[in-house]
Each structure stands twice: as structure tokens, then as C-alpha cells.
Amino acid sequence: MSTTSLPVPDHAPRLREALLSAAFTADGLLDLLGAPAYAALARSETVPALRATRGAGVLETLVRLFLLQCAVPHEQARKALPLDECLADGWVSRDGDEVRATVDVRPYGGPEGQDWFIVSDLGCAVGGAGGASGQGEGVVLGVGGASTTLAGITIRTPVAAALDLGTGSGIQALHAARHATRVTATDLNPRALHFTRLTLALSGAREADLREGSLFEPVGSDTYDLIVSNPPFVISPGARLTYRDGGMGGDDLCRSLVQQAGDRLNDGGHAQFLANWQHVEGEDWQDRLRSWVPPGCDAWIVQREVQDVTQYVELWLRDSGDHRTDPARYAARYDAWLDEFEARRTKSVGFGWITLRKSGAERPSIVTEEWPHPVEQPLGDTVRAHFARQDYLRAHDDAALLADHFVLAEEIMQEQVGMPGAEDPEHVVLRQNRGMRRATKVDTVGAGFAGACDGSLSAGQILDAIAQLLGEDPVLLRDRTPQALRLLIEEGFLEPVPR
């Protein structure tokens, strides 16, 4: 599939104006379709949306044309679009008295209410007409769960230079354009770069520096303040589908990406990836991931899900539509995939987030954890705060910690758990209602300490008061508490008061 048949963005502002005028936006679609049909469309179920767009209005026409990929009458298309320009630029094609879209255009709401549009191959946006199943080599997908997850966890502080590696349809580049002076987007697939250009133009964003090539090869020795990548992380035998299969053995693509990122980051810069990794017999997955972290970088690695090899193979065979093919062919591909895992002693596959921060620290902080529980997106500020806390803890020994003042983080709830009518609770739980939504058990000292943290007293003064109340030796209490205090700070329950 070449780029010659794809639209050009010459008149994208005119098309954007028409789409916005018709309320072809995320909010407009919800109003038109209603919640059930809108949710069904997100599952690639089109019948409810077809029923909701049986009228001849402008918005109905646009939904049928660009989201449902139906042919629409020529006269309806002319009422909804600057049709001559759209035909000339290749956004639509005409067949007799009917007009069809040549690409999938999906409304996408930005984080501050922006009306954006993601352009992808027909049927390849989540909520498009057919989903990605059965699409061929070189296909460019639209918005999916992975891309929105990465957008949500990305740190959004202003930066001079950002890199979207493996840009696809340009979703991460579009987000980065809000807070980066210069955005570079790369992809091995030239079609993806063309779709990124269309996405940026139709969304009213400025152009990015688009470069073709694999991994960091297109950017040479350039360095960045922010690197983001939703790479083709699927661990598979071969590289049948560019959009998902890395083409390297096992999880080598994700490992290479992480290991090479350190040299491409400016001091203080962040690199944020989605990744899959192997759980290998006889190896600890956390040790395996720690070995990927480049020198001079702090890291926060969060495993969100683990699938055994059979679940993993079935997931991606369904993704590519292989379950709809000849049963013998499906079984052969399934078998080949299991052969690959067996040869690599892979028992399961993990999925999660990897964030690097180039700190230059002599003792880098590398935190690996399994967290399959619900979180509250966006998490960019939570990720940024994690590394700020690591800096704080690294710079404060136990004496400095006890001399400092703390407050309980916002929206922390204290729960007392015990039998009804009992005089004292069995245990006390501190629970976050934002961000990672962590919960941690604390003892009597921890509960009392958290309750007294309003910034007015130092940690040591609070512990002395607790020791007096409990009849404990204050020196011994000061000696045994800093480790627990560090954990509460690291996990975001306590925040140091700025001085």
C-alpha cells in the first residue's frame, strides 16, 4: 500500500471548518447517537449507529461517510463538505451519484476540550466500521486503548523538543504539539508518516518534523526532553503486521528501545513507553526489566497485566482476524507461536508502562512493581511527582527526614477495619482516591503520624508526641520509623512542605 492514493492536506482547514460546523466532534457524536449506540460504535458494532443516522442531515451524512464508511448520495455529500476540494485532495471519491470516504476520520477530544481528528486507514479506528481485524501489512491504525493509555501517562510539562517514535496515525505527536516547541515523529512505515501529517493538519496543529526509519535511526544523534513510543511490541514469530509485530526475537525490540533511549535524552528528560516483556523460566521478570534500564537513568516500571502464552497467542490471532480463516491455517499459526515461546522458555507475557528519567544520579532509582488495579487517568502529573519524590528521598538521610515537615496528600482517606462494636480497629488503611489509587496498611504509629501531618510540626516532633502518648522510648521510635516514613513518601501518601 503506497502513499500515492492517500489524501493530501492542501485544503484541510476548509474540511476542518465543515466538520466543526456540523458538530462532527466527540460531543456531537454522543448527542446524535445516544450513549448506547456511541458505546456500541466504540466496540466496532455499527448497527445501532446506522439506525441513528438514517436521516439526511449534515451530521448523519458525515458519520455514515467517515465513521461507518457507507456510500452517501452526492447531493448530501455536497451539503456536508467542501466537496470539490475534498475530491481534489482525495479525502473522498465519487462513483456515479455516490461518494465514499477514502480514509477513516474519527473525532477525538483533546485534554482541554480541543476538537481533534485522527485519520487512519478505513475501518481501523476504534469505533470505525470494522476494527483492525483482517487488515494487511502496512495498515495504519487509529485511536485504540494503548494509544490513549500512553497519552494519559505522558508528562505534559513544557519542553523544547519531543520525539514520537513509531508515530502511527500521529496521536502522540498531536498531544506533544500542545507543550513542545519542536515535535519530531518517526515511523518505519511511510504511510504512517503521511497519516500523521493528515491528523495534525485536520486537527489544526502545527506540522511536525517527519522522518522515516526504524527505532532511533532516523534521528541520529539528536537529543530530546521527551520521548514517547507506543511501539510494535507484540512478541511474535516474525513481523507479519508492521503496526504490531516488532520483527525482532522475543522482547528484543522493547529492550533495545529502552536501552538506547538514555543516549537520546537531555538531562532531566523523560522517555515513556508501552511494552510487552517475556516471563522466562528461571528468571525474575523484575530483574529482567531492571537490566534494560540505561546508565544514569531513573526508572519506574509498572506491570499492568500478565497473560499465559495461550491467552496471548489467541488475543493476537483474533486481532489479525486469523480466527476467521481456514481452521488448519489458524492451528498452524497458533502452533508456530507456541513453538517460538517454548524455544525461548517463555511461560507468560507481561504488559505495562516504562518511564525513564535522565537524572545522572550515582545511585539511580529503579522501581518495578505489579499494579493491575484501576487507576485514574490522566497520570502524567502522578508520573512526574514519582520522580520528584525519588529526588527528595535520595537527598535526605534519616536525620534530615525527621527534621522535615509533611502534609497528607490531597484526597487521602483513612479507613478503620475491624469487627462491629470492637473498641479498637484490627488495622488502619490509608487510601488514595486519585492517581494510582494505592492503599496501604499502617500501624498505630503510622495512623497517628498521618493524622498529625498538617505541616506545623516536624516528623521528629510528631514521633516524640506519639511516643509520649504510647509510653514508648522516643529514641527507639525515631530509629525504627524512617523506613516506613520513606515508603509513605515514595508511594505519594505524604508530601514534604516546601521551604
Side-chain angles (χ1 to χ4, degrees):
M1 290 187 279
S2 70
T3 62
T4 55
S5 60
L6 294 176
V8 294
D10 295 356
H11 299 92
R14 285 264 289 145
L15 175 55
R16 174 176 171 79
E17 182 182 348
L19 298 179
L20 294 178
S21 176
F24 186 68
T25 63
D27 290 341
L29 290 184
L30 182 59
D31 290 342
L32 172 69
L33 301 177
Y38 188 82
L41 190 59
R43 301 189 300 270
S44 295
E45 295 289 347
T46 59
V47 173
L50 285 167
R51 291 174 60 86
T53 56
R54 288 178 291 192
V58 169
L59 183 54
E60 288 98 329
T61 298
L62 292 173
V63 171
R64 282 185 165 252
L65 186 65
F66 286 119
L67 282 187
L68 302 176
Q69 279 105 57
C70 298
V72 300
H74 175 267
E75 287 308 311
Q76 287 186 25
R78 183 167 292 281
K79 292 177 183 177
L81 297 167
L83 188 57
D84 293 338
E85 290 94 332
C86 288
L87 286 167
D89 289 355
W91 293 95
V92 297
S93 62
R94 182 173 180 180
D95 182 12
D97 290 332
E98 292 185 327
V99 172
R100 289 185 176 273
T102 61
V103 290
D104 192 318
V105 176
R106 175 180 171 82
Y108 178 65
E112 296 173 353
Q114 300 96 330
D115 290 314
W116 289 340
F117 300 95
I118 308 301
V119 188
S120 64
D121 272 311
L122 288 172
C124 289
V126 173
S133 294
Q135 299 292 339
E137 169 70 20
V139 70
V140 177
L141 301 188
V143 183
S147 53
T148 55
T149 294
L150 179 58
I153 68 173
T154 299
I155 296 169
R156 297 298 175 192
T157 52
V159 295
L163 170 64
D164 175 13
L165 193 151
T167 186
S169 54
I171 298 163
Q172 309 308 322
L174 180 58
H175 278 276
R178 293 175 47 240
H179 61 100
T181 303
R182 176 171 58 89
V183 177
T184 301
T186 71
D187 207 289
L188 183 63
N189 183 1
R191 285 174 57 81
L193 298 176
H194 195 95
F195 273 112
T196 294
R197 182 178 291 111
L198 296 175
T199 289
L200 294 173
L202 196 57
S203 297
R206 66 177 183 277
E207 294 182 5
D209 177 9
L210 304 177
R211 304 187 191 183
E212 181 181 345
S214 177
L215 297 179
F216 289 102
E217 180 270 329
V219 301
S221 59
D222 292 352
T223 57
Y224 300 88
D225 305 299
L226 175 66
I227 299 171
V228 293
S229 183
N230 175 19
F233 52 65
V234 175
I235 301 170
S236 59
R240 188 159 60 101
L241 299 173
T242 303
Y243 73 86
R244 69 169 203 193
D245 300 323
M248 296 185 183
D251 52 20
D252 282 355
L253 182 135
C254 291
R255 176 185 55 79
S256 298
L257 189 60
V258 173
Q259 289 180 335
Q260 295 174 22
D263 291 336
R264 277 34 179 234
L265 282 175
N266 294 325
D267 290 343
H270 296 85
Q272 300 188 257
F273 312 107
L274 301 186
N276 277 182
W277 45 79
Q278 299 169 135
H279 284 227
V280 179
E281 291 179 11
E283 293 185 19
D284 182 277
W285 75 267
Q286 295 185 337
D287 290 340
R288 180 182 181 85
L289 271 291
R290 288 189 191 100
S291 72
W292 293 8
V293 178
C297 287
D298 296 335
W300 187 18
I301 300 169
V302 181
Q303 180 167 272
R304 294 287 289 158
E305 184 180 0
V306 181
Q307 292 184 318
D308 68 48
V309 291
T310 59
Q311 292 174 311
Y312 190 80
V313 172
E314 291 161 14
L315 168 67
W316 293 111
L317 286 174
R318 286 194 300 271
D319 169 80
S320 55
D322 287 302
H323 61 304
R324 300 195 185 105
T325 65
D326 174 63
R329 186 179 176 189
Y330 172 84
R333 283 185 168 158
Y334 198 143
D335 201 40
W337 218 317
L338 293 182
D339 283 344
E340 176 81 4
F341 282 136
E342 185 176 325
R344 295 182 178 277
R345 297 183 299 114
T346 301
K347 56 185 180 179
S348 55
V349 177
F351 168 82
W353 320 324
I354 299 176
T355 301
L356 306 177
R357 196 272 302 265
K358 191 160 187 178
S359 64
E362 292 183 9
R363 295 179 293 109
S365 163
I366 301 178
V367 176
T368 58
E369 62 176 316
E370 188 161 6
W371 192 255
H373 313 294
V375 299
E376 183 188 52
Q377 288 275 34
L379 277 170
D381 286 344
T382 299
V383 176
R384 179 188 53 76
H386 167 87
F387 290 102
R389 292 193 295 268
Q390 298 303 318
D391 285 343
Y392 174 85
L393 291 170
R394 197 158 36 207
H396 288 71
D397 61 16
D398 289 353
L401 210 62
L402 294 177
D404 228 339
H405 296 235
F406 298 90
V407 294
L408 205 60
E410 289 186 4
E411 299 199 34
I412 300 292
M413 301 297 293
Q414 179 175 300
E415 301 174 357
Q416 295 186 349
V417 181
M419 296 297 293
E423 184 175 343
D424 296 313
E426 293 177 20
H427 58 264
V428 176
V429 174
L430 299 180
R431 187 178 301 278
Q432 299 170 350
N433 287 327
R434 305 291 299 273
M436 295 293 285
R437 293 180 172 168
R438 298 185 189 276
T440 186
K441 285 184 184 180
V442 292
D443 59 13
T444 303
V445 173
F449 187 93
C453 276
D454 61 3
S456 61
L457 299 175
S458 71
Q461 289 171 326
I462 294 175
L463 289 177
D464 290 344
I466 292 174
Q468 186 174 2
L469 285 172
L470 298 180
E472 290 198 30
D473 185 329
V475 176
L476 293 178
L477 189 59
R478 279 174 172 254
D479 285 344
R480 67 179 173 86
T481 302
Q483 184 176 355
L485 181 56
R486 285 183 180 277
L487 183 61
L488 290 175
I489 296 169
E490 181 176 316
E491 294 190 340
F493 290 96
L494 296 178
E495 296 176 349
V497 177
R499 289 199 264 175

